[in-house]
Every structure is written in C-alpha cells, then in structure tokens.
Amino acid sequence: MRPFKHPPVSDFSLERVLYALSDPVRLEVVQRLSEVDEASCGELDGGRPKSSMSHHFRVLRDAGLVCTKGVGTTHMNSLRRAELDQRFPGLLTAILAQHTPSA
C-alpha cells in the first residue's frame, strides 16, 4: 500500500477547503470524523460505491481536511482539525455548526 500525500498547512487554500465541503457526501464525512478520533473508509462510506468514495477522500485529502493512513489493509481517516484551525481559525467550527444531520 503506497502512502497517501497530504499537503502541508502552508499549502491549504480557502478555495479548496470550501470546494471540498460544498459536496454533501464530503461534508457528511467531515461531520462524522469530527465526532470520532478516526474511522475506516468503510465506516464512512454510507453504502456508497468504493470508486466514488475514493474520489471524495482524495478531494478531502488534497484540501487538507482529512489525513488517511494505512493500517494493515484498512485505510483509517482522521480530521486535520488542529491544522485547519491553525490556518483558518474558527472556519471548520462555523461550518460544522451549520450542518444539520439527516433525520
């Protein structure tokens, strides 16, 4: 399993973060990750196809929102909250406060 690329905090851009969060699937992934330390892709996919979720996780990683690491054959994901708060103080908190989980 090859390691995933994650941008340094200095490369985070507001446009990429907002673009990544503009998709309901990706926003749901970030919301769920905000509630746990880490979760596998399978725990976050909501029954969606692996191919589309791979794309969503790549967009989230490229924006700097998510860190993905390999643990055996499982991909574990965590929210890069501290780094995001360092670069854009309060942004993620404000966005997550507006997110209304589906009933």
Side-chain angles (χ1 to χ4, degrees), residues 1-101:
M1 185 181 313
R2 66 175 168 67
F4 293 97
K5 294 180 182 178
H6 301 91
V9 175
S10 60
D11 287 352
F12 290 5
S13 79
L14 185 59
E15 295 82 5
R16 275 194 177 180
V17 169
L18 294 177
Y19 169 75
L21 293 173
S22 70
D23 183 277
V25 172
R26 294 190 292 264
L27 182 58
E28 179 185 330
V29 168
V30 170
Q31 175 68 35
R32 291 181 65 196
L33 282 174
S34 73
E35 299 166 355
V36 297
D37 288 334
E38 64 181 6
S40 69
C41 293
E43 293 171 309
L44 299 168
D45 68 11
R48 295 174 185 93
K50 188 175 180 179
S51 58
S52 68
M53 290 309 294
S54 293
H55 165 74
H56 289 305
F57 282 111
R58 184 181 50 78
V59 171
L60 290 169
R61 275 193 306 275
D62 289 349
L65 287 157
V66 171
C67 177
T68 304
K69 64 180 179 180
V71 178
T73 59
T74 304
H75 295 146
M76 296 303 291
N77 301 281
S78 58
L79 191 59
R80 294 179 70 182
R81 185 163 204 143
E83 294 100 325
L84 285 160
D85 286 342
Q86 175 187 343
R87 181 77 168 104
F88 306 114
L91 177 67
L92 192 58
T93 299
I95 290 170
L96 292 174
Q98 297 303 311
H99 177 68
T100 306

